[in-house]
Amino acid sequence: MSSGLTRRRGGGGGAGGDNENGESSRVASPAPKAGGSRDTGGPETSYESTENGHKIAFDPRDISESAERSKQPKLTLMEEVLLLGLKDKQGYLSFWNDNISYALRGCIVIELAFRGRVSMQKDSSRRRFPLADRVIEVIDDTLTGEVLLDEALKMMKASEKMSVSSWIDLMSGETWNLMKIGYQLKQVRERLAKGLVDKGILRTEKRNFLLFDMATHPVADGGAKEEIRRRVRNVLTQRTVVLPNSQFLPENLEFRYVRTIAMVCAAYAANVLENALATLGHEARERAFAQVDELLAEYSQWPFGKRAGGASGVGANLGQVIAEEVNNSKDKELQLEVVAACLSVFTRLDSLL
């Protein structure tokens, strides 16, 4: 396979292979540098006068986070990938997947890039390095309102600038450097699942697994997961890809098609894509996997690869619509370069783990 990603057809990620044990094992995040993010201090407070002369205190960040949510899809990339991997009724991930934890950290970096928080460092000499080894920087430290994104954003703001692959490695705990073990994001899958419970997509139940009880998160809103599955099949099986407007992919959302390609490739890297293709026949499923191989190869480079349609002419219009998205946001090319860099890390995922 040209991308270098070994396809394994089991669905979902291992519940125990993430180094995501209890909070007692948490190592403190790296201390912020002097002059770091404004969010490291106490909360800001503003006051608004009412008609009767009373003052009401509020945190301006609450308003900015609410405005942020109104512009974004209901689910983050990480949540969509996790949802694809969850067993609908049992509410947990397959125990045999080594990839999903690492892929979810990559999705965090991609999501921050789509939201305009991080970009490649603007340095012409960066082109001497492979995409994954190019340095990224925080360009906007405004909180997103998504806990995991904000934790990663604060960490990036307070730390030295590092490459895309370094950040994904460190957030995954893939380091022998004890000085940097505090960069690992803990309990990512469980926190994402709880976020999906808060959004009404999942619910929480207790299940007994031999000697212990474990919280599981069965699907409560099947429409959300089915919408993601339809979007995946649309991209991987249709000659002309049209993405309908929905709360999960609003019509006015920037980079709708690039975002969808990133989600499909991330699901593939996380080894959960099979779950979206289960209704296809064997040959159609094989063609869909061939198509995602091509997409990953084309969009893990920058500028994005040119295409005239993938396997059997699937997605013949993708090159044009994505070129239009890129051309309409020329000032954000450094952010899209981060997306491509994360996908390039996904192409060699199996060799990293």
Side-chain angles (χ1 to χ4, degrees):
M1 184 162 53
S2 59
S3 65
L5 181 65
T6 302
R7 188 197 319 172
R8 287 181 288 179
R9 295 300 180 82
D18 203 9
N19 292 326
E20 295 180 1
N21 302 315
E23 287 296 325
S24 60
S25 66
R26 176 178 289 279
V27 182
S29 294
K33 297 177 182 176
S37 171
R38 61 177 174 77
D39 298 308
T40 57
E44 301 175 2
T45 304
S46 296
Y47 298 90
E48 184 178 75
S49 297
T50 61
E51 293 180 358
N52 58 13
H54 294 150
K55 287 187 175 180
I56 299 176
F58 66 94
D59 188 337
R61 288 173 293 185
D62 291 337
I63 295 176
S64 65
E65 288 170 16
S66 177
E68 168 83 15
R69 285 195 182 98
S70 69
K71 296 187 299 182
Q72 298 297 334
K74 184 172 181 177
L75 303 183
T76 63
L77 281 173
M78 306 88 72
E79 289 170 334
E80 291 187 334
V81 171
L82 182 85
L83 191 55
L84 277 178
L86 279 173
K87 299 176 184 292
D88 290 8
K89 295 181 180 179
Q90 294 94 330
Y92 56 86
L93 297 157
S94 168
F95 291 95
W96 310 112
N97 187 335
D98 299 326
N99 289 20
I100 192 168
S101 297
Y102 194 90
L104 288 174
R105 270 68 169 196
C107 287
I108 289 174
V109 180
I110 294 174
E111 188 72 52
L112 286 172
F114 278 134
R115 293 182 182 227
R117 299 309 195 272
V118 300
S119 76
M120 284 293 180
Q121 190 171 35
K122 192 173 184 178
D123 179 359
S124 59
S125 64
R126 73 182 186 280
R127 296 186 178 88
R128 294 186 288 114
F129 301 97
L131 266 177
D133 295 335
R134 297 178 189 177
V135 173
I136 60 175
E137 62 182 353
V138 174
I139 56 174
D140 180 0
D141 64 356
T142 306
L143 297 182
T144 66
E146 298 286 348
V147 176
L148 277 170
L149 292 180
D150 291 340
E151 183 177 338
L153 182 63
K154 289 177 183 179
M155 193 160 56
M156 290 179 173
K157 178 67 176 179
S159 305
E160 62 184 292
K161 292 184 176 69
M162 289 185 282
S163 69
V164 171
S165 59
S166 293
W167 273 117
I168 299 176
D169 284 347
L170 291 174
M171 289 193 292
S172 303
E174 298 287 332
T175 178
W176 292 101
N177 187 341
L178 296 180
M179 299 297 292
K180 292 187 175 181
I181 197 68
Y183 287 93
Q184 182 182 3
L185 293 181
K186 302 282 187 173
Q187 295 183 313
V188 166
R189 288 174 293 174
E190 180 63 21
R191 291 161 72 185
L192 286 172
K194 288 179 178 177
L196 287 168
V197 171
D198 293 340
K199 293 179 180 182
I201 307 299
L202 303 178
R203 65 180 186 274
T204 301
E205 293 180 355
K206 290 283 187 181
R207 290 178 65 94
N208 181 267
F209 287 85
L210 298 178
L211 300 177
F212 59 94
D213 290 331
M214 185 176 84
T216 61
H217 304 285
V219 174
D221 176 8
K225 188 167 184 176
E226 184 53 36
E227 196 277 342
I228 299 170
R229 287 174 176 147
R230 280 197 303 267
R231 205 181 332 149
V232 170
R233 291 193 295 267
N234 191 348
V235 169
L236 298 182
T237 64
Q238 299 298 310
R239 181 174 178 81
T240 301
V241 177
V242 178
L243 300 176
N245 176 46
S246 75
Q247 61 181 324
F248 306 105
L249 198 71
E251 189 66 47
N252 61 350
L253 179 66
E254 199 171 31
F255 304 124
R256 295 176 80 242
Y257 284 83
V258 180
R259 185 185 188 89
T260 299
I261 296 296
M263 182 270 288
V264 171
C265 291
Y268 185 39
N271 204 25
V272 300
L273 189 66
E274 174 86 2
N275 299 336
L277 305 176
T279 59
L280 300 180
H282 175 73
E283 290 187 5
R285 195 158 58 245
E286 289 299 311
R287 287 194 297 270
F289 276 112
Q291 172 72 349
V292 76
D293 277 338
E294 292 185 21
L295 291 175
L296 188 55
E298 290 161 7
Y299 293 97
S300 60
Q301 55 183 297
W302 183 257
F304 293 139
K306 306 298 182 184
R307 72 187 337 255
S312 304
V314 172
N317 65 319
L318 280 177
Q320 179 181 346
V321 294
I322 288 178
E324 290 173 359
E325 288 186 339
V326 174
N327 290 333
N328 289 339
S329 301
K330 281 289 188 181
D331 58 326
K332 298 179 179 177
E333 286 189 349
L334 290 173
Q335 295 161 222
L336 293 178
E337 191 173 333
V338 174
V339 175
C342 290
L343 297 187
S344 75
V345 173
F346 290 164
T347 65
R348 51 194 178 94
L349 183 55
D350 281 332
S351 64
L352 295 172
L353 299 178

